[in-house]
């Protein structure tokens, strides 16, 4: 997202007001770091809703993977997002991240719709992750439906140019065309689709409660996601 002139123009419009809103969203005021310099990945908790992965186990894996990647980020940061204030996964992750002393400027949790983080929450996130399905298709509910709806046809087309399907544990980085409403309104320049492990017997490729496989696929999914984010930064 820092790579093109168009991106720099769009992402470089931070005003004082924006910076204040951003600091509010961060829960802290950081006078040294300009909002312009911060590249942020907002990601949902992969597999813990429709795919029914155990929240306690998923929160351990999220914190483990964040801890592994957070120091490679330089000025960038990671934000775990969920829709509601009472989100179990957010509260588990917050508590565990605090215990591990993970830098709260580099990683924090945020309540909001991942498709409206800037317009509704004042939180600028130029990269967002999607908990996708294996066919990389719109619909199906959850965060996948929300992102494809908000991004419009531009995301479907751009996704097809990169991949037609995804294996569990894998991610694909999709640059978002600048005519997508998610780009113009929210400043999102990339969507990273991630396919997590499925524990829901009603969905394709259910792991039938095999948490050995499930945990290893969820770890791979976060590794692929964060590696994809690092590839955008470079
Ligand atoms: N903004 C932020 N977080 C959200 C939003 C949103 N708009 N919508 C949901 N979440 P899920 P999965 C949170 O079910 O378990 C789809 O149908 C939600 O509360 O979207 O990986 C796909 O097509 C939860 O914390 O993803 C797949 O088939 C997290 O996002 C399947 O569901 C993930 O919930 C993937 O299931």
């Amino acid at each position: 997202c820092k790579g093109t002139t168009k991106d720099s123009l769009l992402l470089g419009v931070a005003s004082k007001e924006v910076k204040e809103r951003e600091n509010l969203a961060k829960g802290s005021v950081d006078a040294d770091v300009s909002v312009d310099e911060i590249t942020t990945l907002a990601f949902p908790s992969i597999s813990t809703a429709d795919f029914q992965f155990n929240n306690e186990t998923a929160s351990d894996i999220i914190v483990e993977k964040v801890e592994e990647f957070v120091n490679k980020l330089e000025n960038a940061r990671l934000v775990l997002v969920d829709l509601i204030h009472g989100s179990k996964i957010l509260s588990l992750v917050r508590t565990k991240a605090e215990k591990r002393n993970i830098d709260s400027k580099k990683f924090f949790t945020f309540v909001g719709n991942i498709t409206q983080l800037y317009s509704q929450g004042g939180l600028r996130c130029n990269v967002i992750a999607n908990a996708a399905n294996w066919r990389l298709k719109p619909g199906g509910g959850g965060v996948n439906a929300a992102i494809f709806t908000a991004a419009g046809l531009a995301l479907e087309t751009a996704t097809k140019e990169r991949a037609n399907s995804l294996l569990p544990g894998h991610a694909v980085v999709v640059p978002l065309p600048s005519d997508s409403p998610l780009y113009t309104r929210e400043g999102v320049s990339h969507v990273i689709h991630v396919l997590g492990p499925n524990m829901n017997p009603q969905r394709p490729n259910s792991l039938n409660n095999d948490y050995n496989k499930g945990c290893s696929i969820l770890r791979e999914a976060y590794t692929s996601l964060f590696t994809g984010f690092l590839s955008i930064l470079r």
Side-chain angles (χ1 to χ4, degrees), residues 10-26 28-30 33-38 77 117-119 121-125 185-187:
L10 181 75
L11 298 173
V13 292
S15 64
K16 187 164 176 279
E17 187 202 343
V18 170
K19 183 168 181 179
E20 278 161 6
R21 283 203 287 161
E22 177 88 0
N23 283 329
L24 207 67
K26 276 203 294 179
S28 69
V29 175
D30 183 347
V33 182
S34 151
V35 173
D36 296 346
E37 295 162 26
I38 302 171
R77 59 190 186 170
L117 292 173
Y118 182 58
S119 59
L123 181 68
R124 181 190 289 271
C125 296
R185 192 190 65 224
E186 305 294 329

Side-chain angles (χ1 to χ4, degrees), residues 43-53 55 80-84 87 89-90 110-117 130-134 137-148 194-198 203-204 218:
F43 65 100
S45 166
I46 307 297
S47 291
T48 52
D50 194 43
F51 278 177
Q52 299 181 357
F53 198 97
N55 276 243
L80 175 68
V81 177
D82 201 356
L83 282 170
I84 50 162
S87 162
I89 192 75
L90 287 198
F110 194 81
V111 176
N113 186 330
I114 203 161
T115 66
Q116 300 179 335
L117 292 173
N130 177 29
N133 52 56
W134 74 274
K137 291 280 187 206
V143 75
N144 184 70
I147 290 176
F148 271 102
V194 194
L195 183 62
N198 172 33
R203 297 284 177 268
L218 193 60

Side-chain angles (χ1 to χ4, degrees), residues 58-168:
S59 66
D60 285 334
I61 292 174
I62 293 171
V63 174
E64 173 194 316
K65 285 290 152 185
V66 165
E67 199 172 28
E68 185 183 326
F69 277 87
V70 85
N71 291 325
K72 302 178 183 169
L73 294 175
E74 298 179 3
N75 270 336
R77 59 190 186 170
L78 306 172
V79 185
L80 175 68
V81 177
D82 201 356
L83 282 170
I84 50 162
H85 279 279
S87 162
K88 190 174 166 196
I89 192 75
L90 287 198
S91 112
L92 285 166
V93 167
R94 219 170 19 241
T95 307
K96 290 175 187 182
E98 266 168 33
K99 274 202 189 126
R100 316 273 317 168
N101 285 322
I102 294 178
D103 183 350
S104 63
K105 286 197 197 100
K106 295 236 168 222
F107 172 67
F108 55 95
T109 63
F110 194 81
V111 176
N113 186 330
I114 203 161
T115 66
Q116 300 179 335
L117 292 173
Y118 182 58
S119 59
Q120 298 298 309
L123 181 68
R124 181 190 289 271
C125 296
N126 23 21
V127 184
I128 63 172
N130 177 29
N133 52 56
W134 74 274
R135 293 186 320 151
L136 293 168
K137 291 280 187 206
V143 75
N144 184 70
I147 290 176
F148 271 102
T149 303
L153 200 58
L155 178 60
E156 262 186 85
T157 312
T159 299
K160 275 194 203 125
E161 279 168 19
R162 298 272 156 158
N164 286 314
S165 63
L166 212 51
L167 287 169

Side-chain angles (χ1 to χ4, degrees), residues 152-230:
L153 200 58
L155 178 60
E156 262 186 85
T157 312
T159 299
K160 275 194 203 125
E161 279 168 19
R162 298 272 156 158
N164 286 314
S165 63
L166 212 51
L167 287 169
H170 288 248
V172 59
V173 176
V174 178
L176 194 58
S178 56
D179 59 349
S180 165
L182 212 48
Y183 189 112
T184 48
R185 192 190 65 224
E186 305 294 329
V188 174
S189 64
H190 294 76
V191 173
I192 306 180
H193 298 294
V194 194
L195 183 62
N198 172 33
M199 295 300 176
N200 181 349
Q202 318 276 315
R203 297 284 177 268
N205 303 316
S206 168
L207 291 176
N208 297 318
N209 232 25
D210 181 347
Y211 269 89
N212 277 335
K213 262 197 198 144
C215 287
S216 111
I217 294 174
L218 193 60
R219 283 195 178 90
E220 277 177 46
Y222 282 107
T223 299
S224 306
L225 168 60
F226 296 152
T227 306
F229 180 50
L230 285 177

